Amino acid sequence: MDTEQTDGIPRRQRHHNVEDVIGDCAVYEPGLKRSTRLPMQKAARTARRTDGFVWIGLQNPSADDVLHVAEEFRLPDLAVEDAISAHQRAKLEVYEDLWFMVLRPVRYVDREEIVDVEEIALFIGPHFLVSVRHGKTDVLTRVRKELDAGRLESSERGPIAVLHRVADLIVDEYAEVAQSIDDDIAEIEQQVFGEREADHTERIYKLKREVLEFRRAVIPLGEPMFKLMTGSLPGMDDKARQYFRDVHDHIMRVTDEIERQDSLLSDVLQANVARLSVTQNEVSVRQNEDMRKISAWAAIGLVPTAIAGIYGMNFDNMPELRWHYGYYFAITAIVGISAGLWGLFKRNNWL
């Protein structure tokens, strides 16, 4: 790809407009929006001159789009690669006076019982913030609206205040997702202990898998929040750390909730398997009982069949055929033997 020199910095020539993926680009000074939209070409220069900060937001950008912005703001190559790949764990990396933070917003699709995990990458400098959004989350839009309206608490802290508010909203979403999962688990519990003939194993496994996906998004965020509330990072003071301490506390609560949900789903799965085993055993017992009854009645029915079959052959050399009491004897034998078999089977609980 061709290159050109701009202000002594080599840049790649691209055949599309990066403005297409920029949700907004504005300068905030101090904490309030100063212009409606800042052109991309002026963003980096403005960030070097302002006492406030420039926030440029990329929405589902391509690799070239991210590289374009990275060249303008001289972002670290390794962090840029992570922002492009969009498959990172939540983390915080510090490069001199620049932070790189990855957060994983989530939303719960209740109809499908799916935890949809997205990604936000933030490059946080002293006077600029570059956000890279992968997915449909509206967290950044909500924070920008609060900032534009002057309603962002401690907005004079610049990009750090934005980072805190983004993390705070994402953790609030974690709590909402955890509650939605709780509701589905309660529904599964009622079904497992109420519908004895139904098999809920597939649904339980699916929800357990989604809890695991939720866990992967939440648990890694605890370490970056711990660093922010305790570490000596550039631009941080005691008051700023207090805000992140609150976010860290909420993450720990959600983490405990996830562990509880995973354990509860394991218990429900075992209970479901146990109830299925009991149901199958009951069916087997009923089948055995039915087979015993069928066998008993078949044995009883064999007696008249055998006697009638023998005396229905009508051979001449059968003395009982001309016996005056032969008929009565045959009937008495049929009834007596059948009654005896019935009594025997009844005593042995076959009938």
Side-chain angles (χ1 to χ4, degrees):
M1 191 173 294
D2 297 335
T3 60
E4 63 177 357
Q5 295 285 334
T6 303
D7 298 332
I9 303 172
R11 299 175 183 172
R12 297 179 180 86
Q13 291 180 350
R14 293 173 177 82
H15 303 287
H16 68 283
N17 189 358
V18 70
E19 297 284 348
D20 295 339
V21 298
I22 296 178
D24 199 357
C25 180
V27 57
Y28 297 87
E29 192 177 55
L32 296 176
K33 192 173 184 179
R34 195 180 70 181
S35 62
T36 55
R37 186 180 177 99
L38 190 67
M40 171 63 199
Q41 293 76 9
K42 297 181 179 180
R45 291 195 299 271
T46 302
R48 299 186 188 101
R49 300 169 183 170
T50 182
D51 293 332
F53 69 99
V54 172
W55 181 358
I56 176 171
L58 303 179
Q59 301 176 352
N60 298 308
S62 66
D64 283 347
D65 296 327
V66 178
L67 289 172
H68 190 173
V69 176
E71 290 171 353
E72 292 285 343
F73 286 88
R74 298 181 174 87
L75 303 179
D77 292 339
L78 293 178
V80 171
E81 290 179 7
D82 289 343
I84 292 173
S85 65
H87 294 289
Q88 303 296 316
R89 291 162 55 92
K91 62 181 179 179
L92 171 64
E93 297 176 349
V94 179
Y95 300 86
E96 296 182 355
D97 61 344
L98 182 140
W99 302 355
F100 174 66
M101 183 108 185
V102 175
L103 302 106
R104 306 299 302 275
V106 300
R107 62 188 182 93
Y108 190 62
V109 184
D110 188 59
R111 182 178 60 184
E112 302 176 10
E113 294 183 353
I114 293 176
V115 176
D116 188 11
V117 182
E118 300 171 334
E119 183 171 317
I120 293 175
L122 299 177
F123 296 89
I124 304 162
H127 297 286
F128 71 86
L129 172 67
V130 176
S131 60
V132 181
R133 188 197 75 187
H134 296 281
K136 300 179 181 179
T137 178
D138 65 343
V139 168
L140 296 176
T141 302
R142 291 158 60 188
V143 174
R144 194 183 286 272
K145 288 181 178 179
E146 292 180 9
L147 189 60
D148 291 345
R151 292 185 286 106
L152 186 62
E153 189 175 1
S154 299
S155 59
E156 69 276 3
R157 298 182 185 277
I160 295 179
V162 175
L163 170 61
H164 165 259
R165 186 55 179 156
V166 170
D168 189 36
L169 289 178
I170 289 176
V171 174
D172 287 345
E173 288 183 346
Y174 289 166
E176 294 174 3
V177 170
Q179 181 59 52
S180 298
I181 293 176
D182 257 348
D183 294 341
D184 284 337
I185 292 177
E187 181 181 342
I188 290 176
E189 285 183 303
Q190 293 179 352
Q191 293 175 346
V192 167
F193 293 102
E195 303 174 11
R196 300 190 61 179
E197 301 297 331
D199 183 4
H200 305 285
T201 303
E202 183 178 354
R203 185 185 180 191
I204 296 173
Y205 265 121
K206 178 182 177 182
L207 191 57
K208 190 173 177 64
R209 185 175 63 249
E210 295 306 316
V211 170
L212 178 60
E213 192 71 20
F214 184 31
R215 187 177 187 274
R216 289 173 180 169
V218 175
I219 300 298
L221 187 57
E223 182 179 351
M225 288 298 110
F226 183 79
K227 289 181 180 179
L228 289 170
M229 77 174 191
T230 60
S232 299
L233 301 176
M236 290 287 288
D237 54 30
D238 291 338
K239 190 172 182 179
R241 281 191 282 268
Q242 292 177 2
Y243 289 107
F244 289 106
R245 185 176 295 112
D246 181 66
V247 177
H248 180 267
D249 180 61
H250 291 171
I251 291 175
M252 293 299 101
R253 294 180 186 177
V254 176
T255 299
D256 292 341
E257 184 70 10
I258 292 174
E259 299 297 339
R260 184 190 66 82
Q261 290 173 346
D262 185 63
S263 177
L264 184 57
L265 281 171
S266 296
D267 293 341
V268 172
L269 180 60
Q270 292 179 359
N272 181 66
V273 172
R275 291 186 68 85
L276 287 176
S277 298
V278 170
T279 301
Q280 291 172 354
N281 290 336
E282 291 176 350
V283 171
S284 297
V285 170
R286 287 198 298 267
Q287 289 177 343
N288 290 337
E289 291 177 352
D290 293 341
M291 288 302 298
R292 285 200 301 267
K293 290 180 181 180
I294 293 172
S295 299
W297 285 114
I300 293 173
L302 181 61
V303 174
T305 302
I307 294 175
I310 291 173
Y311 288 99
M313 292 187 291
N314 295 324
F315 289 116
D316 290 338
N317 190 18
M318 292 183 69
E320 294 85 355
L321 292 177
R322 293 179 175 81
W323 184 30
H324 180 73
Y325 298 102
Y327 171 76
Y328 303 103
F329 176 80
I331 293 299
T332 302
I334 290 174
V335 173
I337 296 173
S338 298
L341 290 173
W342 183 87
L344 178 64
F345 292 141
K346 191 71 173 178
R347 185 178 62 185
N348 292 329
N349 295 322
W350 281 46
L351 292 174

